[in-house]
Amino acid sequence: MNFFKTRYANVLATIAGAGLVAGGVLWWIVDPFSADIAWSVATAPILISLFFQIVNSLRKGDVGLDVIAALSMSAALAFGEPLAGNVVAMMYASGQLLETFAQGKARREMTALMGRVAHTTMLYDGVTLREVPIASVKPADRLLIRQGEVLPVDGRIVSDVAVLNLSALTGESLPRNLRKGEEALSGSTSAGPPFDLIASRPAAESTYAGIVRLVESAQASKAPMVRMADRYALGFLALTIAIAAATWLLTKDTSRVLAVLVSATPCPLILAVPVALIAGVSRTASIGVLIKGGAVLETLAKVRTVILDKTGTLTHGQAEVTDIKVTVIGSEAETLRLAASLDQASGHVVATALIREAAARGLSLTAPLDVAEVPGTGIEGTVEGRRIVVGGNSFVHERCTGNDPRNLMAGVRPSSMTVAVSVDGKLAGVIVLADRVRKDAGAVIRELRQSGVSRIVLASGDRLDIAQDAGALLGVDLILGDLSPDAKVAAVSAEHDGPVMMVGDGVNDAPALAAADVGVAMGAHGTASSSEVAGVVLLIDELGPLAEAMAIARRSRMIAFQSVVAGLGLSLGAMAAAAFGYLPPVQGALFQEVIDVAVILNALRALR
C-alpha cells in the first residue's frame, strides 16, 4: 500500500515539477500567456486528485486540511495567478512524498519485525530432512536450524549449544549461548553452528507470530493526540477561511487573499503528530518493547503510578536453589545429585528446579527405581542401591532417624521453600529454594522514579510475608499480598493519582492489565491472555527496557507538541504577513513548504 502511495505521489510531483519548468521556459522564450497555460495545465491533475481525496474523506466523516490546499489552487487559477497555483501543487505533491518517507522511516523498526517472518523450515522425518512450510510444524517436531536462519517457532534446544542473535527482538547486540534444554524464541537468528530444536508450540502460537499480530494492531491504531489534531484541524481551517475573508473585506485584494490561503500549512497538525508518535513506537520496538500504537504511547508518557506483580515480573517466576545445608553424612554436591536423580520421576516444579541446578553444576544423574510419590508432599525411591527420600520436613522426618530437618534451618528466611533429603534412613541435608528477585529490578525501580513515577505498588498473589520480603528489598511504596485476580483489579481501581500502569505476566494478571490505563505484559508468548489484553508487551523476559520505553514515550509526546506549536505559530505568522501584503502568493507557498519540512524533521527526532 505504501509502495503505491509513493508511486502515485511521485507521478503527481513529476507533473507539477514538469509544469513549473515548462512554464518558466515558455515565459522566457515565448510569452507570459503560454507560460500561464502550462502552469494551469500542470496544476489541474493535482487539483482533481485532491478533490477526489476530499470527497472520500467527507464520506468517512473526516474534514481535513487538504481543503486549504484545494482552495489555494482553485483561487490561484480563478484569480489569474497560475504560477502560485503550480507552486502550491508542487508543494502539495512533494508534501505527500515527504509524508510517506517520514512515516516509512518512523515505522522502520516495526517493519523490520514484520519482514523477518520465516516461511519454511527443515523438519526431521525419521533420519532424513525435508523442507516444509512452518504452518505444518506441530509441537514435538524436531527441526534443524541452520546458521543464519530465523527461528520459525518457539522450542527447546536439544543440541549441546545454540548461539542466537536476539537483536531483532530486544536490540541486544551480542549473541547469547543457550544450552541444551533451554527455550529459544522464534524471531531470533542462529548465529552459530546448526542445531536441533524441538518445537514447543505451533507457528501460529509462537512468540514471533504473537509479535507480528501485535505490530499489526499497533500500526492500525490511532492516538488520542492524532484525533485531537483532527479536531484542531477543523478549527484551523475555519480560522484560515476567516482570515482570508477578512482580508478580502478590508482590502479587496485577491492577491493577498490567495497569499493567505497558500501560507496556511496543515502539516504541523496532520503530519507531525502521527510521525512523532509512530517514531516513538518504532523506537521502543528497537529496544524490545512493543507498544500497541500511538494511543498507548501517549498514555504511557503520562503514567504516574505503577503497580507491579511479583512472581514472573519482579522475580523470574521459578524456584531456584539458593543454599544447601548438610549434616555430617552428606556433602552439598552429593545431596543435590541424589535428590535430583530421584526427582527425575516427578513433575513437580521443585523437582524441575533441583534437576536444573544439578545440570548447571555438571552433576551426573542416575535413573531412579521403585519410586513412590505422594503428590505435593514428597517422593521416595532407590538411586544407585540407596534409599532416597525427598520432600517436606515432616514427610522426610517420618522416614528417617536422627536429626529433625528443622534443626538445619537456622538463618533461612520464612519466605523460602525448603526440601529435606534423607539417604538410607538418615538425614543428609536441606535444600533451600526461592524465587529470586531479578537482578535489574532495583535499577528499574530507581529509573521509574527518575522518569516521573511518584508511586510504586507491589501487588502479589503470593503470601504477604513473601511479598514483603521482595518489596522491602526494592523499596516500593505499598506491598499487597494474598491477592486474587479480582483483588488485583480492585488494587488498580484504588489508585487515582493520574494514569495507572499495571505490569504482570500470568493469566491471573490479565484482568488487572485490562483494568489499568496501561497494561504491560512480560513476554509475547503467542496468544497468552496477558499479552493480548496488555497495551505494552516486553518482547523478552526482562524488565529493564520498561523505564527506557517510558522515557521514549515522554520525549515523543513532547516532540509532537513542539512540532504543532512551532509549526502553527509560523503558519499564523505567515498568514498575517500575507494579509498585510508583506508575503506574495508564490513566496507564501514556498515558505509553507519550509515549515512542512521543518516540523516533520523535528518529529523524526523521536527516532533518536
Side-chain angles (χ1 to χ4, degrees), residues 1 97 103 127 181 241 257 266 292 311 351 380 406 470 483-484:
M1 186 67 181
L97 278 175
Q103 293 203 351
V127 294
I241 294 174
V257 173
K292 297 182 183 179
T311 305
E380 55 184 318
R406 295 178 183 85
L483 298 181
S484 66

Side-chain angles (χ1 to χ4, degrees), residues 324-327 329-330 335 405 408 419-422 426-431:
I324 301 176
K325 296 178 178 291
V326 296
T327 63
I329 71 161
T335 298
L408 297 177
V419 176
V421 182
S422 74
K426 295 182 180 180
L427 181 67
V430 171
I431 301 174

Side-chain angles (χ1 to χ4, degrees), residues 335-345 351 354-356 358 365-366 390 431:
T335 298
L336 175 62
R337 189 183 73 84
L338 294 173
S341 293
L342 176 61
D343 267 339
Q344 292 178 105
L354 298 187
I355 295 168
R356 185 170 57 245
L365 304 185
T366 304
V390 179
I431 301 174

Side-chain angles (χ1 to χ4, degrees), residues 17 49 57 75 92 155 171 192 215 231 311 394 401 405 534 570 587 593 601:
S49 170
S57 296
Y92 176 79
V215 168
R231 293 195 300 272
T311 305
S394 298
T401 59
L570 290 171
Q587 287 88 330
E593 185 66 7
L601 290 179

